[in-house]
Amino acid sequence: MGSSYAAGPDLGQPKPDMPKRCSRDYGSYPSLLAERLKLDLIDATCSGATTAHVRGPWKELPPQIDALTPETRLVTITIGGNDINYVRNLYVATCDSVKMQRVCPPLLVPTEAEWAKLEADLRKIANEVRLRAPQAKLVFVDYVTLVPDGTLCPSVPMTDANAKTMRQIGVRFAAVTAKAARASNAELLAAGELSKHHTPCDADPWSIGTLMVPGTAPWHPNGAGMRGIAQALVTKLGG
């Protein structure tokens, strides 16, 4: 389950049975994990999804959590970025540098209330997973790191101030996800920590920044990132 960071838009062959706007591709980490561990995958991910779309319908789409059954044994989920305008803020943070428009909108830094709501919603998802799939192992996978701690590069053309703000949002986002996982007795794969030295500015990037590169979506994991997450999950699950 999850958003585009789990669906894998523009990473390989699109899945033929998906709603077109969900952009689920065979290069996503859930697909790669299922292939490695020889699992039957029910892919409920959808680009643009929020925590609300996991527990409730999204226009014509059913709740993602409806994919669970009592026979489900493993659930992975990457969600929450769209709740806090994460990708939107990444685009805005580069607006001044790339001159996308004359007047750049402001960053929408999440409030304390929004962070608290996100944590509560993640915990609600975990509780619902327990009810619907009581024998399943639940693994929260957080978002990859996109803004490096050190020197920026053409793929991440932000001012120092915007880069600092986006780093702070990324760190808080990871902490909220980890806290919700602990409170729910769920597993956590810290993709943000794993990719800390695999940003768009590093030699072996797990994501792409604002520059358009064939085979991936801006401000999203690339193929290497999805493979890295899948391999880390295989190791974590003892596969």
Side-chain angles (χ1 to χ4, degrees), residues 162-199:
N162 283 349
K164 180 179 179 180
T165 298
M166 290 312 305
R167 289 188 198 104
Q168 291 171 338
I169 292 174
V171 168
R172 185 70 181 273
F173 187 15
V176 166
T177 304
K179 187 177 178 182
R182 286 194 303 271
S184 306
N185 198 28
E187 300 282 341
L188 172 71
L189 183 79
E193 186 62 29
L194 289 173
S195 59
K196 193 172 182 179
H197 300 294
H198 294 282
T199 74

Side-chain angles (χ1 to χ4, degrees), residues 99-234:
K99 296 181 173 56
M100 290 189 295
Q101 55 193 70
R102 291 183 179 178
V103 179
C104 295
L107 290 171
L108 299 178
V109 178
T111 64
E112 288 301 316
E114 288 169 330
W115 286 123
K117 183 179 186 304
L118 175 58
E119 182 186 337
D121 288 340
L122 292 173
R123 293 175 68 168
K124 288 175 183 177
I125 289 171
N127 291 339
E128 190 70 19
V129 169
R130 303 294 187 208
L131 291 173
R132 296 192 184 217
Q135 299 184 67
K137 181 187 289 290
L138 172 60
V139 184
F140 281 97
V141 180
D142 67 15
Y143 283 49
V144 295
T145 296
L146 288 155
V147 182
D149 287 336
T151 304
L152 301 181
C153 64
S155 290
V156 187
M158 299 179 185
T159 64
D160 289 342
N162 283 349
K164 180 179 179 180
T165 298
M166 290 312 305
R167 289 188 198 104
Q168 291 171 338
I169 292 174
V171 168
R172 185 70 181 273
F173 187 15
V176 166
T177 304
K179 187 177 178 182
R182 286 194 303 271
S184 306
N185 198 28
E187 300 282 341
L188 172 71
L189 183 79
E193 186 62 29
L194 289 173
S195 59
K196 193 172 182 179
H197 300 294
H198 294 282
T199 74
C201 294
D202 289 307
D204 181 21
W206 281 19
S207 58
I208 187 66
T210 193
L211 300 181
M212 293 298 294
V213 174
T216 192
W219 299 121
H220 281 74
N222 60 14
M226 289 296 190
R227 290 190 295 272
I229 292 171
Q231 181 55 53
L233 282 167
V234 169

Side-chain angles (χ1 to χ4, degrees), residues 25-39:
D25 277 24
Y26 284 108
S28 67
Y29 80 75
S31 300
L32 297 171
L33 176 65
E35 182 181 3
R36 285 287 305 274
L37 297 183
K38 309 247 186 304
L39 302 175

Side-chain angles (χ1 to χ4, degrees), residues 72-92:
T72 302
R73 293 294 183 270
L74 174 64
V75 179
T76 63
I77 182 164
T78 300
I79 198 70
N82 294 314
D83 295 61
I84 58 168
N85 298 296
Y86 190 50
V87 173
R88 179 264 183 200
N89 279 334
L90 286 162
Y91 274 105
V92 169

